[in-house]
């Protein structure tokens, strides 16, 4: 049985001690590996705040949910922080039903810090 053609795009921006990762498409077992690798690579850097923008994420499955949850827990154990922002209504519902909102911040938008002069 062939799987439908699913795509995932990731855009990462580093700014000081904040990493912002925008995720586009569907996040499931078939597309999870690229995001997992990107998070691991970013985790090796100096960032203390990780913001994952879910505005363009159309779907999130259980495996993806568990990966994000575990990543947030690992960050928290080391004094770092994960925030999920801009979830679509369907993704927000998945996060709420799965109680992830109690493990990480889920915000409707992320306000950028003012640029240093």
């Amino acid at each position: 049985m062939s799987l439908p053609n699913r795509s995932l795009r990731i855009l990462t921006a580093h700014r000081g001690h904040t990493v912002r990762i925008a995720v586009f498409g569907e996040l499931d077992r078939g597309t999870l590996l690229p995001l997992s690798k990107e998070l691991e690579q970013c985790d090796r850097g100096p960032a203390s705040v990780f913001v994952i923008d879910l505005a363009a994420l159309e779907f999130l499955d259980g495996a993806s949910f568990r990966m994000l949850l575990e990543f947030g827990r690992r960050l928290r154990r080391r004094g770092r922080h994960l925030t999920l922002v801009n979830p679509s209504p369907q993704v927000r519902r998945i996060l709420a039903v799965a109680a992830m909102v109690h493990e990480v911040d889920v915000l409707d938008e992320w306000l950028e810090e003012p640029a240093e002069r």
Side-chain angles (χ1 to χ4, degrees), residues 29 61-71 73 100:
R29 290 182 192 274
D61 76 351
S64 304
F65 166 81
R66 285 187 296 281
M67 186 273 300
L68 290 172
L69 183 62
E70 183 51 38
F71 181 68
R73 287 176 177 162
M100 187 160 185

Side-chain angles (χ1 to χ4, degrees), residues 13 15 18 20 51 53 109-115:
R15 185 173 180 190
T18 301
R20 184 174 182 138
V51 178
D53 190 330
E109 65 180 293
W110 176 260
L111 301 176
E112 296 289 337
E113 296 177 17

Side-chain angles (χ1 to χ4, degrees), residues 12-21 42-52 71 75 78-83 110-116:
T12 303
H14 299 265
R15 185 173 180 190
H17 290 284
T18 301
V19 173
R20 184 174 182 138
I21 301 170
C42 291
D43 192 22
R44 291 187 202 115
S48 58
V49 176
F50 293 76
V51 178
I52 301 179
F71 181 68
L75 290 176
R78 295 192 326 265
R80 293 171 158 189
H81 187 78
L82 173 65
T83 300
W110 176 260
L111 301 176
E112 296 289 337
E113 296 177 17
E116 294 182 22

Side-chain angles (χ1 to χ4, degrees), residues 78-106:
R78 295 192 326 265
R80 293 171 158 189
H81 187 78
L82 173 65
T83 300
L84 306 177
V85 298
N86 303 322
S88 65
Q90 62 269 29
V91 171
R92 178 180 287 282
R93 183 168 184 234
I94 292 167
L95 296 174
V97 166
M100 187 160 185
V101 294
H102 300 292
E103 294 287 337
V104 300
D105 290 335
V106 178

